[in-house]
Amino acid sequence: MKPAHVIPDQVNCAVIRYHSRRVTCLEFHPTNNHILLSGDKKGQVGVWDFYKVSEKIVYGNIHSCIVNNIRFNPTNDGTVYAASSDGTVSCTDLETGLALSLMNVNPNGWHGPRTWRMLYGMDINPEKGVVLVADNFGFLYLVDARTNSRSGEAILIHRKGSKVVGLHCNPIQPELLLSCGNDHFARIWDIRRLEAGSSLCDLPHKRVVNSAYFSPSGSKILTTSQDNRLRIWDSIFGNLDSPSREIVHSHDFNRHLTPFRAEWDPKDPSESLAVIGRYISENYNGAALHPIDFIDITTGQLVAEVMDPNITTISPVNKLHPRDDVLASGSSRSIFIWRPKEKSELVEQKEEMKIIVCGKADKKQKHKFGDESEDSDDDTSKLKRKNVRSKKSRKS
């Protein structure tokens, strides 16, 4: 029998307007249970101790635009890698905020959006000591984590000119790599034999694939596609011609949102629980709310939908804690920590729930968490403006 799922269904603490632009990614610290990292559209990286709540910092000098992915260094959890739409991979010391640029795929600067390379998917192969990162032209790059330098030539892994948004190394067999992108495919690769057209298996989808993840045991695959479907393959060793199941779910989004990505619960031994934000709003006691859904991917049934009447923005970025019954969610510029209601009540008996508000509050939203505005997803517009300003400064 499957164990009963423990659902974090109550907001325990939050930082409102923590980031200056919308949250794009979240990552829990691998050994410190109460540290959460976050990236945003402006290129900032936040470090938040959600036990102490008020202990938070935002590093704004690492990247110049969207931080698309964050991963901890597996050999040094005091440093973190980040991939950005500014075309660089960084390695940052979390104690000092000092960042080292490991790779820049735009060494000659801005020459228009048609040639500008942006980095999206990223993961780390701990056995080989390699950071894998992919761009918006279909190419994969390798960075040697030991020498902090690029290794080898770029490899075309998806259709040329398509955006590769996701990379995931198999947690049990790290030589297996799962990629996904705008060409409507997820693909499985053998890192030991990486070359164009050498994928072990191609998993077709009807629309853009937002994410693709191996399960914690490495035996299953979960993908999120823009056709409002979650797809599950029950065994990577079985027939992969078609998914084992397709689950209908509302996550087709507009360009002003961070893409929705269904993720496994890393603590669930049955590998049946996934979490994903919902795009379509529901009427809950007169309020239009966007729940976060917990789905049983073996049956397609909705296990739970969690919401707070004060959170009126959409929550596309969600991350379950690898060890504790905690959910972190990014909604617009704010970050929320959810715990199971019973545990939240115990915590509140010791210390009242804390909501930290940063920046200026909107008068219309003074009784709500976050704000309704979502910013444009035009990655290159900001880079172009920066380039124009830098040219003007050089002329003067």
Side-chain angles (χ1 to χ4, degrees):
M1 292 180 63
K2 289 190 299 185
H5 297 301
V6 179
I7 305 298
D9 54 359
Q10 180 169 294
V11 173
N12 173 251
C13 58
V15 180
I16 310 302
R17 290 183 288 277
Y18 180 28
H19 285 275
S20 57
R21 303 295 289 274
R22 60 176 165 83
V23 175
T24 54
C25 53
L26 296 170
E27 194 75 11
F28 284 104
H29 196 282
T31 57
N32 192 327
N33 285 347
H34 47 90
I35 298 296
L36 177 69
L37 263 63
S38 54
D40 74 5
K41 187 177 185 293
K42 192 176 181 180
Q44 299 175 334
V45 174
V47 184
W48 180 32
D49 185 334
F50 56 86
Y51 275 22
K52 300 179 181 177
V53 185
S54 59
E55 288 197 10
K56 56 184 176 55
I57 189 169
V58 175
Y59 295 119
N61 59 345
I62 300 173
H63 292 285
S64 59
C65 68
I66 301 182
V67 175
N68 291 305
N69 259 299
I70 297 174
R71 293 289 185 275
F72 277 92
N73 185 338
T75 61
N76 179 5
D77 60 19
T79 59
V80 64
Y81 297 103
S84 169
S85 291
D86 64 10
T88 66
V89 176
S90 64
C91 181
T92 303
D93 186 310
L94 295 180
E95 187 70 28
T96 64
L98 295 176
L100 177 67
S101 181
L102 307 186
M103 182 178 72
N104 183 359
V105 292
N106 300 296
N108 299 319
W110 176 266
H111 294 284
R114 291 187 177 181
T115 59
W116 186 263
R117 292 180 181 267
M118 297 176 277
L119 299 177
Y120 287 90
M122 183 179 70
D123 203 4
I124 299 173
N125 183 309
E127 284 195 354
K128 293 185 175 295
V130 172
V131 180
L132 302 105
V133 62
D135 70 9
N136 58 322
F137 284 84
F139 286 89
L140 174 73
Y141 305 83
L142 306 181
V143 177
D144 191 324
R146 291 161 292 197
T147 62
N148 286 337
S149 60
R150 181 171 164 179
S151 174
E153 297 297 320
I155 304 160
L156 185 67
I157 62 169
H158 280 258
R159 190 185 71 233
K160 194 170 185 179
S162 65
K163 186 188 300 182
V164 184
V165 296
L167 296 174
H168 189 213
C169 292
N170 191 295
I172 305 302
Q173 302 179 79
E175 69 275 7
L176 295 180
L177 174 69
L178 183 60
S179 65
C180 64
N182 279 16
D183 62 353
H184 302 186
F185 278 92
R187 305 181 193 274
I188 304 175
W189 306 83
D190 187 332
I191 292 177
R192 298 167 296 186
R193 294 182 289 274
L194 269 176
E195 58 182 45
S198 67
S199 59
L200 301 177
C201 188
D202 298 333
L203 309 177
H205 291 66
K206 293 181 180 178
R207 290 186 63 189
V208 170
V209 187
N210 293 345
S211 64
Y213 296 108
F214 289 112
S215 62
S217 71
S219 62
K220 301 177 182 179
I221 290 175
L222 169 65
T223 68
T224 308
S225 176
Q226 282 289 85
D227 62 357
N228 281 328
R229 298 290 189 279
L230 306 182
R231 290 176 173 83
I232 300 94
W233 284 261
D234 283 336
S235 175
I236 62 173
F237 307 106
N239 185 353
L240 298 178
D241 291 342
S242 60
S244 305
R245 277 171 306 287
E246 293 186 7
I247 300 172
V248 178
H249 181 265
S250 172
H251 52 256
D252 183 11
F253 66 100
N254 64 51
R255 68 194 294 258
H256 305 301
L257 287 174
T258 301
F260 293 85
R261 302 179 181 96
E263 296 197 11
W264 302 91
D265 181 353
K267 304 178 297 300
D268 175 23
S270 67
E271 296 187 337
S272 61
L273 189 65
V275 64
I276 182 171
R278 192 189 305 175
Y279 178 63
I280 193 170
S281 62
E282 301 288 347
N283 189 328
Y284 294 96
N285 298 322
L289 304 180
H290 303 267
I292 301 167
D293 292 333
F294 287 81
I295 298 173
D296 186 328
I297 55 95
T298 62
T299 64
Q301 292 183 341
L302 183 65
V303 176
E305 50 182 8
V306 303
M307 69 209 80
D308 187 291
N310 292 304
I311 304 176
T312 56
T313 47
I314 302 170
S315 302
V317 187
N318 298 283
K319 178 73 69 172
L320 284 163
H321 199 287
R323 296 169 297 277
D324 292 341
D325 296 324
V326 170
L327 168 70
S329 60
S331 184
S332 188
R333 297 179 288 160
S334 306
I335 299 178
F336 301 88
I337 295 293
W338 303 72
R339 294 181 183 273
K341 189 172 183 180
E342 296 80 7
K343 292 187 178 181
S344 290
E345 289 173 348
L346 290 174
V347 171
E348 287 175 29
Q349 287 175 8
K350 298 178 182 179
E351 187 173 4
E352 188 176 341
M353 180 179 69
K354 288 188 176 180
I355 305 294
I356 305 296
V357 180
C358 305
K360 295 180 179 179
D362 187 332
K363 291 181 180 179
K364 293 181 181 178
Q365 297 292 327
K366 64 181 179 179
H367 298 299
K368 304 290 183 182
F369 297 156
D371 54 71
E372 292 291 348
S373 62
E374 294 288 354
D375 44 280
S376 170
D377 198 25
D378 185 358
D379 300 358
T380 57
S381 61
K382 182 181 176 183
L383 290 163
K384 185 175 180 181
R385 290 196 299 271
K386 283 195 170 187
N387 186 66
V388 170
R389 286 199 296 269
S390 64
K391 284 183 178 180
K392 286 183 179 179
S393 64
R394 284 198 296 268
K395 287 179 180 179
S396 60

